[in-house]
Amino acid sequence: MTDFTIKTPAPKATAKTTAKAGAKRAKAAVDKAVETVAEKAEVARAFVEEKAEVGKTWTAEKAQVAHQQAEEHPIALAVGTFVAGLVFGFLLARNFDRD
């Protein structure tokens, strides 16, 4: 099979035109990157704002429940805190004891 297309040599690119084309591509890439980063930052800001509001509400509710439980059962709170301190202290001592 023979190829009958006429192939013309491409015009020789000069260093100046190559540099201009490279600069244009680089500028386009930077513009796209800036746009993408700005878009991602906006999405992240909206997500964090929404989650912060949910977290604030959730934390306030849990803190109120914990406060009521502590008022109703002060001895249980004291014993629970003491046990938690013992466990935490044991784990710290065990970690520092390793040589």
Side-chain angles (χ1 to χ4, degrees):
M1 183 171 222
T2 329
D3 186 13
F4 290 105
T5 57
I6 298 173
K7 296 184 180 181
T8 58
K12 292 186 178 181
T14 63
K16 191 174 185 180
T17 58
T18 306
K20 284 183 180 178
K24 284 182 181 178
R25 282 195 310 271
K27 185 179 182 318
V30 167
D31 289 344
K32 185 174 182 178
V34 167
E35 181 182 317
T36 303
V37 168
E39 181 181 314
K40 297 293 182 186
E42 179 62 29
V43 169
R45 186 199 61 76
F47 177 77
V48 168
E49 187 178 289
E50 177 185 322
K51 292 301 178 183
E53 188 64 35
V54 169
K56 183 175 76 173
T57 304
W58 184 82
T59 304
E61 291 172 0
K62 294 295 180 180
Q64 186 176 12
V65 169
H67 183 74
Q68 290 172 354
Q69 289 295 321
E71 285 181 345
E72 292 174 6
H73 309 288
I75 301 298
L77 176 66
V79 171
T81 305
F82 179 73
V83 170
L86 282 177
V87 170
F88 184 68
F90 172 75
L91 292 175
L92 274 177
R94 196 178 95 189
N95 194 29
F96 286 133
D97 209 20
R98 294 181 185 177
D99 287 330

